[in-house]
Amino acid sequence: MDTGVLLTQVFNGLSLFSILLLMALGLAIIFGLMGVINLAHGEFMMIGAYTTYVIEIFFSKYVNGAFSMYIFVALISSFFLTAFIGFLTEKTLIQHLYKRPLDTLLATWGLSLILQQSFRNIFGANNVNVDMPKWLIGSFAISQDFNLPYNRIFILLLAILCVGGITLFLFKTRWGLRIRAVTQNRNMSSALGINTRKVDSVAFALGSGLAGIAGSALTMIGSVGPSTGQNYIVDSFMVVILGGIKSLLGTILSAFTIGEIQSVAEFFSSSSMAKVITLVGIIILLQIRPKGLFSMRVRA
Amino acid sequence: MLQINDLHVYYGESHIIKGVSFEVGKAETICILGRNGMGKTTLIKAIMGLLRPKEGKITLNGEDITFLEPFEKINKGIAYVPQGREIFPYLTVQENIEVGLETVSEKTIPDFIFDLFPVLKDMLNRKGGNLSGGQQQQLAIARALVSNPKIILLDEPTEGIQPSIIEEIAKVLNILKKEKGISILLTEQFLNFALETSDRFYIIEKGKLIYETTREKADEKALRDFLTL
């Protein structure tokens, strides 16, 4: 067994961690605030991925000189486009099903099917590849068989940047305070003057936008297809449940745990065995800590 | 200033408030007395907009506010201190008060809050959920006050609170009425606190106001009989 190769695999696990983290943060904000389980979250991620694909093609055809910078345009567009679609979804679909969790589940599942089919109609059923700019190709060699690929370093930095941004937003801005207040006590927030409908819209857009960024990041490490989102939605929910809803730190640690278990287990066995090992691990952990890794207790 | 006219409120299928009418004047404290399950909280929630009345009218200074959302009522000058206080447990004391500043443009906590509740000044960075019941009650009143209300609704403010803090809260309510001209509507079961703070009293029983008196005319024994029946 080569330690270098194993370390490389551990580092590659950090990419999965980053993507799961971005997905789970969005899910956790939405679920914590509105109790809405958004089954279309994986397809929101794919909106980000396909946006990146379209922008990459656009740059390579029309503005090839600036091709090395397309990734930044793609990330920003993915965020805003997905956030906007999330905003529309909340306004047209979720808002009318408020306090009906089962109906919301069905409605968002339906939306996810519609979106998957639209991807197939527009981009074809086959996976698409997004070419990376030159500066993301190659790797930083620490030793002969321990390499850190640039694209994976970039994704990790991107996730750290997003988590930092979200933390600042939630804890240092007025909107963040509103979101935290409504998450803890919706009626009381309303009775103190907070327009809870607006808070729902903003939070849903923000959570969706994060999924868009995750999708954009996903294109940097592999090809993506219409149903790729499906592979990530379950894992993202596992992250949210394991982390304990309403705990940012819990979400981060649980994304790390699941991402790493999965990649390292994949290294020693096969990818379906890795899934089994991850699931068994989570089931055991939830037996010990039913409310997730982090649950705070105070007098409410 | 606040007028309630023939209000009917249902909780699901059951008819809880059955035609209640009364008025709260400027800088006046009104107390609704009643035992558990008589409709005190339902009445306050309906006035605040957290429950929708089926019939009747609520007006504030002549303006119909019956069916406004809670966050719209704050803008009209109503503030609310709920039963059980409902402090945000994971927000700090400072953040709890800042949420109350939602409807005013100045987002720093005014000094008069710490004059009224000096105890809060040393706790600004503690989580609301880690305060004692009495401290939470003071925080809930502070949180309601920073929106500069014309009238403040308090739902059983003495429930589960130690006597020394009940005394302090009574003092604060009297200061608010006399010095700031704020009207107060409170519900209570604890007669001593009511007598110390209120100008007029109503007894609520099975969703109806069955008895009315003023502080001057109040027959303490008669009121006590209603509460212990």
Side-chain angles (χ1 to χ4, degrees), chain A residues 171 174 177-178 180-182 184-185 187-197 246 296-300, chain B residues 48 50 69-71 74 80 82 86 88-91 95 98-99 101-102 107 129-131 133 136 143:
Chain A
F171 290 92
R174 188 78 204 168
L177 182 65
R178 288 184 188 121
R180 284 185 296 144
V182 177
Q184 290 173 39
N185 191 332
N187 270 344
M188 197 59 225
S189 302
S190 179
L192 286 168
I194 294 179
N195 186 337
T196 50
R197 281 178 252 154
K246 296 178 188 181
M296 294 179 276
R297 266 186 228 104
V298 292
R299 187 195 311 232
Chain B
M48 195 56 223
L50 292 165
E69 293 281 334
F71 61 80
I74 300 285
Y80 172 53
E86 306 211 12
F88 300 108
Y90 303 114
L91 297 189
E95 287 170 335
E98 280 170 358
V99 174
L101 291 165
E102 178 71 18
K107 299 294 184 200
N130 293 332
L131 268 52
Q136 286 192 343
R143 185 177 66 177

Side-chain angles (χ1 to χ4, degrees), chain A residues 31-291:
Chain A
F31 184 73
L33 186 74
M34 301 186 257
V36 167
I37 292 180
N38 178 17
L39 285 183
H41 205 69
E43 278 62 45
F44 284 179
M45 171 167 108
M46 295 322 293
I47 292 175
Y50 279 115
T51 307
T52 307
Y53 172 66
V54 168
I55 286 177
E56 185 258 335
I57 291 177
F58 177 81
F59 268 72
S60 71
K61 274 202 177 143
Y62 301 105
V63 264
N64 214 312
F67 186 74
S68 61
M69 289 295 117
Y70 90 85
I71 199 77
F72 296 103
V73 180
L75 280 169
I76 293 166
S77 324
S78 299
F79 176 79
F80 282 105
L81 183 67
T82 317
F84 180 66
I85 289 174
F87 175 82
L88 287 183
T89 306
E90 201 272 334
K91 279 274 172 239
T92 53
L93 193 67
I94 312 281
Q95 209 172 57
H96 304 287
L97 300 172
Y98 177 54
K99 280 185 183 165
R100 290 157 62 186
L102 289 177
D103 300 353
T104 323
L105 209 62
L106 272 180
T108 53
W109 185 57
L111 178 67
S112 96
L113 294 181
I114 293 171
L115 285 172
Q116 280 181 50
Q117 193 54 44
S118 322
F119 297 147
R120 263 182 220 113
N121 292 348
I122 302 171
F123 300 103
N126 294 330
N127 281 11
V128 297
N129 261 311
V130 178
D131 288 334
M132 265 182 296
K134 274 207 190 77
W135 57 275
L136 279 178
I137 301 168
S139 60
F140 179 74
I142 288 181
S143 74
Q144 203 175 3
D145 43 24
F146 181 28
N147 298 310
L148 309 182
Y150 292 135
N151 54 348
R152 290 177 186 270
I153 297 177
F154 183 77
I155 291 176
L156 186 61
L157 291 177
L158 180 69
I160 292 171
L161 189 75
C162 287
V163 172
I166 289 296
T167 311
L168 280 180
F169 177 78
L170 284 178
F171 290 92
K172 296 285 172 210
T173 68
R174 188 78 204 168
W175 273 109
L177 182 65
R178 288 184 188 121
I179 290 177
R180 284 185 296 144
V182 177
T183 302
Q184 290 173 39
N185 191 332
R186 177 171 290 268
N187 270 344
M188 197 59 225
S189 302
S190 179
L192 286 168
I194 294 179
N195 186 337
T196 50
R197 281 178 252 154
K198 261 194 203 163
V199 173
D200 286 347
S201 299
V202 168
F204 207 94
L206 176 72
S208 307
L210 284 173
I213 291 185
S216 196
L218 191 62
T219 63
M220 298 176 207
I221 51 171
S223 59
V224 293
S227 52
T228 308
Q230 295 287 300
N231 303 336
Y232 283 86
I233 184 80
V234 176
D235 288 4
S236 310
F237 268 115
M238 287 198 296
V239 170
V240 175
I241 292 164
L242 183 65
I245 298 144
K246 296 178 188 181
S247 163
L248 202 61
L249 186 65
T251 309
I252 295 171
L253 283 177
S254 119
F256 181 80
T257 313
I258 292 179
E260 283 301 340
I261 291 181
Q262 202 135 303
S263 342
V264 173
E266 222 165 281
F267 176 70
F268 287 112
S269 55
S270 67
S271 74
S272 30
M273 239 358 247
K275 274 261 184 300
V276 173
I277 292 170
T278 316
L279 269 171
V280 169
I282 290 173
I283 291 169
I284 292 170
L285 266 173
L286 286 178
Q287 295 286 330
I288 306 167
R289 304 210 48 147
K291 288 194 165 176

Side-chain angles (χ1 to χ4, degrees), chain A residues 187-194, chain B residues 1-2 24 43-50 60 65 69-83 85 97 99-104 112-113 137 139-155 173 176 182-187:
Chain A
N187 270 344
M188 197 59 225
S189 302
S190 179
L192 286 168
I194 294 179
Chain B
M1 100 175 260
L2 179 74
V24 186
L43 177 63
I44 295 285
K45 280 190 173 170
I47 296 172
M48 195 56 223
L50 292 165
L60 186 69
I65 59 162
E69 293 281 334
F71 61 80
E72 294 168 316
K73 292 196 177 180
I74 300 285
N75 280 316
K76 304 288 179 197
I78 302 185
Y80 172 53
V81 180
Q83 185 176 28
R85 309 173 280 275
I97 304 177
V99 174
L101 291 165
E102 178 71 18
T103 53
V104 291
F112 80 88
I113 292 296
Q137 188 60 267
L139 175 56
I141 297 173
R143 185 177 66 177
L145 279 177
V146 291
S147 67
N148 294 322
K150 295 180 201 131
I151 177 163
I152 177 163
L153 315 179
L154 294 106
D155 196 358
L173 292 189
L176 291 176
I182 296 177
S183 308
I184 298 168
L185 171 62
L186 63 103
T187 68

Side-chain angles (χ1 to χ4, degrees), chain A residues 16-28:
Chain A
L16 184 58
F17 154 70
S18 308
I19 287 165
L20 285 181
L21 179 58
L22 290 173
M23 287 283 285
L25 272 182
L27 275 179

